[in-house]
């Protein structure tokens, strides 16, 4: 099975620094196969051939433990299967971009907030931007012109923010592309 591990809050603002080459080696030592990292923000694609009843949770716990051991950092690790990422990609509007015209993100949700009711906890002002719930994630897009008026700049200070990890749509699409390449091996 092909997975992606999304690490929350590494290599941001000089905090929780982790070298990607060392992280790749750590994942391999933990038994993950065909490990590939993508950019410095903690996106690791890998294969796991073990039969696990609750694979995502078990792998998350294992990887969080090895990160503590190897890097002395308490980092939350979200694991998503290729099928779960594919569901996000299929829901993601093709025209959404993250560029100088638009800000478009995927907010991956931890289980404790993964429900459509999470929409009610977000500071989005009505009529500014688009927010879509898909199991496991929120998809958000707003024009750069309206981004500061959307209310979502207050998300970082909200309670729900600690239960998500955010990737822009370009990164999310690249992660899925890397997962597809890993599946073809």
């Amino acid at each position: 099975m092909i997975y992606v591990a999304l690490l929350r809050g590494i290599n941001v603002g000089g905090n929780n620094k982790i070298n990607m080459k060392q992280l790749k080696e750590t994942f391999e030592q933990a038994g993950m196969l065909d490990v590939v990292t993508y950019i410095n923000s903690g996106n690791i694609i890998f294969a796991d051939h073990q039969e696990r009843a609750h694979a995502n949770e078990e792998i998350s716990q294992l990887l969080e433990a090895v990160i503590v051991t190897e890097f002395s950092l308490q980092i939350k690790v979200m694991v998503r299967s290729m099928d779960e990422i594919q569901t996000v990609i299929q829901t993601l509007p093709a025209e959404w971009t993250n560029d100088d015209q638009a800000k478009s993100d995927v907010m991956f949700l931890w289980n404790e907030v993964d429900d459509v009711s999470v929409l009610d906890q977000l500071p989005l002002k009505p009529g500014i931007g688009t927010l879509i719930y898909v199991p496991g994630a929120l998809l958000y897009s707003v024009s750069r012109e309206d981004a500061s008026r959307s209310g979502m700049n207050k998300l970082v200070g909200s309670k729900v923010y600690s239960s998500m990890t955010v990737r822009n749509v370009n990164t999310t699409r690249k992660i899925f592309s890397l997962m597809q390449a890993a599946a073809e091996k």
Side-chain angles (χ1 to χ4, degrees), residues 111-140:
N111 291 340
E112 64 265 18
V113 297
D114 185 10
D115 186 83
V116 70
S117 65
V118 73
L119 294 170
D120 299 331
Q121 300 176 48
L122 301 176
L124 182 66
K125 291 182 182 170
I128 302 177
T130 303
L131 189 60
I132 301 168
Y133 170 80
V134 59
L138 295 172
L139 314 177
Y140 171 65

Side-chain angles (χ1 to χ4, degrees), residues 60-75:
S60 289
Q61 291 170 359
L62 170 68
L63 296 174
E64 287 174 0
V66 299
I67 290 170
V68 167
T69 300
E70 292 297 316
F71 301 98
S72 300
L73 293 172
Q74 292 280 340
I75 302 294

Side-chain angles (χ1 to χ4, degrees), residues 119-125 150-156 158 160:
L119 294 170
D120 299 331
Q121 300 176 48
L122 301 176
L124 182 66
K125 291 182 182 170
S150 72
M152 289 297 276
N153 54 346
K154 296 176 184 168
L155 178 63
V156 173
S158 71
V160 73

Side-chain angles (χ1 to χ4, degrees), residues 2 34-36 178-185:
I2 304 298
D34 303 320
V35 179
V36 175
L178 292 168
M179 293 176 87
Q180 288 177 306
E184 292 171 5
K185 284 186 174 181

Side-chain angles (χ1 to χ4, degrees), residues 50-63 79:
Q50 294 186 33
E51 293 295 322
R52 300 175 192 260
H54 304 286
N56 292 16
E57 293 170 27
E58 291 176 33
I59 297 170
S60 289
Q61 291 170 359
L62 170 68
L63 296 174
V79 174

Side-chain angles (χ1 to χ4, degrees), residues 93-105 129-130 140-148 168-170 173:
E95 68 275 8
W96 283 17
T97 59
N98 196 67
D99 54 24
D100 59 349
Q101 299 298 309
K103 176 176 175 36
S104 302
D105 293 320
T130 303
Y140 171 65
S141 186
V142 66
S143 69
R144 289 283 177 188
E145 181 180 302
D146 290 336
S148 63
N168 73 48
V169 296
N170 303 342
R173 288 179 177 128

